[in-house]
C-alpha cells in the first residue's frame, strides 16, 4: 500500500503555483513545496486543516490510498 498526498493535483486543476498556495494558506513555503512534490513523510493536523479550509477541500481530496499490485508477494 502507498499513501500519497495530492496537493499537486489540486494545484493543477486550479491553475495554482506553490507561491499561490503559500499566499492563500499562510503555510510555510518549504512545507508547501514538500507537500506538492509528495516528498513528505507526515502532515500535521493543523496544516491539513488549514489546507482544507483555505482551499475548500476535504482531507480525502488531499490524501490518496494507492494499492500496490505486488503487495501479496511481500
Amino acid at each position: 500500500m502507498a499513501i500519497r498526498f495530492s496537493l499537486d493535483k489540486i494545484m493543477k486543476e486550479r491553475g495554482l503555483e506553490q507561491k499561490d498556495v503559500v499566499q492563500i494558506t499562510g503555510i510555510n513555503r518549504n512545507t508547501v513545496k514538500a507537500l506538492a512534490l509528495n516528498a513528505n513523510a507526515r502532515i500535521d493536523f493543523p496544516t491539513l486543516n488549514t489546507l482544507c479550509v483555505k482551499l475548500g477541500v476535504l482531507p480525502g481530496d488531499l490524501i490518496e490510498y494507492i494499492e500496490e499490485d505486488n503487495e501479496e508477494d511481500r
Side-chain angles (χ1 to χ4, degrees):
M1 91 170 170
I3 304 225
R4 183 181 187 290
F5 204 74
S6 303
L7 180 59
D8 60 329
K9 288 183 181 181
I10 291 170
M11 290 170 55
K12 277 184 185 178
E13 289 171 0
R14 297 181 182 193
L16 298 173
E17 295 183 15
Q18 291 176 17
K19 65 179 181 169
D20 300 322
V21 176
V22 169
Q23 187 175 30
I24 292 167
T25 64
I27 295 172
N28 179 285
R29 180 180 56 88
N30 291 331
T31 301
V32 171
K33 180 179 179 178
L35 293 171
L37 296 175
N38 203 40
N40 55 313
R42 65 178 181 83
I43 183 168
D44 295 324
F45 282 132
T47 302
L48 181 60
N49 184 64
T50 298
L51 287 168
C52 289
V53 170
K54 298 292 185 171
L55 297 177
V57 297
L58 298 172
D61 298 327
L62 290 167
I63 301 171
E64 286 183 275
Y65 170 78
I66 301 167
E67 203 165 324
E68 294 179 12
D69 293 336
N70 297 332
E71 191 168 334
E72 293 178 3
D73 296 337
R74 293 181 197 184

